[in-house]
Amino acid sequence: MISDKIEFRIRYGETDQMSYAYHGNYAAYFEMGRTEWLRKLGVSYKKMEEDGIMLPVINLNTNYLKPAKYDDVLNLKTTLTKIPTAKIEFTFEVTNQQNELLTTATAVLVFVNMKTNKPTRIPKYLLEKINFKE
């Protein structure tokens, strides 16, 4: 499936008293990964919202294998797991500069029509871009 990688550094404000990246920040890291994944396909959350589609997370499972620490440079790999319908599913892998696997996660999001507040199918333009990349 389609994957994308981003690199980022753990900032001081993202750490706990032990200098480890606070576990609650990982949801934001995964959002960065999804946003860049979409952007590299030529689509943005902003465009989808302008088109009346929102994409809330309905499930997020995270496995913390090793801690990330202040000032670590991390790589986040975001992968689409299957062709989306009304839902879109991603896996995430976070590695450090030594290529050690630190964290894995899965996320499921649902396409929602902002007028009806009900699930809807993936926008055609996004599905076409995904199928083209496959």
Side-chain angles (χ1 to χ4, degrees):
M1 285 285 153
I2 306 168
S3 294
D4 183 58
K5 287 186 180 181
I6 63 170
E7 182 179 280
F8 63 99
R9 185 179 301 274
I10 300 296
R11 298 171 295 184
Y12 184 78
E14 297 170 337
T15 63
D16 59 20
Q17 195 170 9
M18 298 174 289
S19 297
Y20 293 162
Y22 176 66
H23 73 278
N25 291 323
Y26 281 82
Y29 301 153
F30 303 145
E31 181 184 357
M32 289 186 323
R34 291 190 310 270
T35 300
E36 292 306 314
W37 182 92
L38 280 168
R39 187 170 282 127
K40 288 182 180 161
L41 280 181
V43 179
S44 70
Y45 273 109
K46 183 177 181 180
K47 163 86 168 104
M48 282 195 295
E49 288 178 353
E50 289 169 353
D51 292 342
I53 302 293
M54 61 182 166
L55 199 55
V57 174
I58 60 170
N59 185 283
L60 177 63
N61 289 310
T62 308
N63 299 300
Y64 304 98
L65 308 171
K66 293 182 178 183
K69 299 176 184 164
Y70 168 63
D71 211 35
D72 282 356
V73 175
L74 303 181
N75 289 290
L76 170 61
K77 180 179 179 184
T78 303
T79 304
L80 179 70
T81 59
K82 61 184 175 183
I83 299 296
T85 54
K87 295 178 184 176
I88 189 166
E89 299 180 27
F90 294 97
T91 60
F92 305 94
E93 294 180 348
V94 179
T95 56
N96 60 17
Q97 288 183 297
Q98 293 74 38
N99 206 33
E100 295 174 299
L101 184 61
L102 305 181
T103 306
T104 61
T106 59
V108 179
L109 298 87
V110 65
F111 295 96
V112 173
N113 180 308
M114 293 170 74
K115 288 181 183 171
T116 65
N117 207 33
K118 296 197 185 284
T120 189
R121 296 194 61 77
I122 181 176
K124 186 176 179 181
Y125 61 85
L126 178 54
L127 185 58
E128 288 172 353
K129 289 179 182 286
I130 290 169
N131 283 330
F132 177 75
K133 291 282 188 178
E134 291 289 299

